[in-house]
Amino acid sequence: MRKFYDVDMREYTTFRAGGRAAEMVVCDTAEELAETVLSLKREGKPCIMLGKGSNTLFTDRGYKGTVIRLGRDFRAVAVHGVSVVCGADVSVAAAAKAALAANLTGFEFASGIPGSIGGALFMDAGAYGGEMKDVVTEAQILRIGTGQVETVAAEEMELSYRHSVFQTSGDIILSVTLGLKPGDHDAIAAEMNELTRRRNAKQPVQYPSAGSFFKRPEGCFAGKLIQDAGLKGLSVGGAQVSEQHSGFIINKGDATADDIIRLMHLVQNTVRDKFGVVLEPEVRIIGD
């Protein structure tokens, strides 16, 4: 277990913006994680789990609690038949590469999703017509109330678009098992390469961002609504609605969290006034 204090959270989030956290604890084992969580709970101190920071923004005023990250024991990938078992801190890209190496198909859609596999399950991440709920079979979790490690089936996770039971239960994902199918190595690689090409062509991958900023409203796309509202390229400070893809808010180099949040509200208010649609952020905003 490693502890750090007064941590600059710009270094741990893909937005590269935001304030500082009072404390960060990196837990290398499930035992350390349980000890940390139960201790913080007894002391009444707030805490939050953080994966690769791809869907999180810390406010400029920072976070007075403890940020918990997963270390050594949560970074392994194992293939058993058609199952790929990933520690929660394994990147989604690494999980996709492991599936490719084992000639397993079904996870190609996720190969370009940033972040950890645990974070992807937490958010039911998806892309190009696929979602985590399509491939997850079970997960090992730490029950936040008892500190016990349990295995839960996908049916118990309440997975739906950008939602899982973990968002309300607070239980912590330790590992994720993907159920895939045998496939042709070259075909899998070709599909992954094609999705990468499409992503690089359509998304502002050269700038710090949190990926698609808003959830998809029912019956339409957030990016199209934002573009039709005339907001493409709109800036607040160093934050901008991407000129390449209106569904992205990007950091042009010196954005503060406040810039990003102010731009988010401006986009939400404009789209609501023009089209009567309320855009909900995918991004978790943490802090005071």
Side-chain angles (χ1 to χ4, degrees):
M1 184 190 303
R2 289 152 284 155
K3 291 187 178 182
F4 307 90
Y5 300 95
D6 191 31
V7 179
D8 185 353
M9 296 311 298
R10 292 178 300 179
E11 301 298 319
Y12 294 92
T13 56
T14 59
F15 247 134
R16 297 293 183 260
R20 308 180 79 86
E23 180 182 53
M24 178 181 288
V25 178
V26 180
C27 299
D28 289 314
T29 67
E31 292 75 19
E32 289 180 358
L33 180 61
E35 176 187 337
T36 297
V37 169
L38 293 177
S39 175
L40 291 169
K41 184 179 178 182
R42 284 193 300 269
E43 296 171 14
K45 294 182 178 179
C47 64
I48 186 171
M49 293 297 303
L50 183 70
K52 306 296 186 187
S54 63
N55 220 34
T56 304
L57 177 67
F58 285 82
T59 65
D60 292 325
R61 287 172 295 282
Y63 180 60
K64 299 299 192 292
T66 300
V67 176
I68 302 173
R69 300 183 70 230
L70 301 178
R72 185 192 64 228
D73 283 7
F74 305 98
R75 295 172 179 167
V77 181
V79 178
H80 305 288
V82 295
S83 295
V84 180
V85 182
C86 308
D89 197 53
V90 170
S91 71
V92 176
K97 288 178 181 177
L100 169 63
N103 301 327
L104 295 175
T105 186
F107 202 55
E108 293 90 332
F109 73 88
S111 58
I113 293 176
S116 66
I117 200 79
L121 178 57
F122 181 86
M123 291 297 298
D124 184 41
Y128 297 108
E131 295 178 34
M132 290 295 292
K133 67 183 178 65
D134 301 327
V135 292
V136 171
T137 58
E138 65 181 29
Q140 192 179 59
I141 66 168
L142 179 75
R143 292 290 187 192
I144 199 74
T146 63
Q148 297 298 307
V149 174
E150 298 181 17
T151 298
V152 296
E155 293 75 19
E156 302 173 62
M157 299 178 195
E158 299 178 11
L159 295 173
S160 60
Y161 177 72
R162 302 302 179 263
H163 173 80
S164 74
V165 70
F166 307 112
Q167 295 174 18
T168 51
S169 71
D171 295 332
I172 299 170
I173 301 161
L174 306 180
S175 71
V176 178
T177 300
L178 308 173
L180 306 177
K181 298 177 181 178
D184 177 76
H185 182 90
D186 291 342
I188 296 167
E191 177 69 7
M192 290 171 62
N193 290 336
E194 171 60 17
L195 294 182
T196 298
R197 184 197 65 77
R198 289 167 59 185
R199 182 175 288 106
N200 290 341
K202 295 181 179 180
Q203 298 180 6
V205 296
Q206 68 272 36
Y207 291 104
S209 77
S212 296
F213 195 94
F214 297 101
K215 295 179 181 179
R216 184 179 66 240
E218 187 172 353
C220 53
F221 294 95
K224 186 176 189 310
L225 290 172
I226 295 167
Q227 180 172 323
D228 290 349
L231 300 176
K232 176 179 280 193
L234 180 68
S235 295
V236 172
Q240 183 188 60
V241 175
S242 169
E243 295 176 323
Q244 188 173 1
H245 190 311
S246 297
F248 285 66
I249 291 178
I250 60 174
N251 181 349
K252 291 284 284 187
D254 59 354
T256 64
D258 192 51
D259 291 340
I260 295 165
I261 292 167
R262 286 168 57 206
L263 182 56
M264 173 189 76
H265 288 313
L266 182 55
V267 168
Q268 288 174 312
N269 292 339
T270 304
V271 169
R272 182 194 63 211
D273 292 345
K274 284 184 176 289
F275 304 115
V277 177
V278 177
L279 295 179
E280 296 181 37
E282 287 188 23
V283 178
R284 295 190 302 166
I285 299 175
I286 307 299
D288 298 327

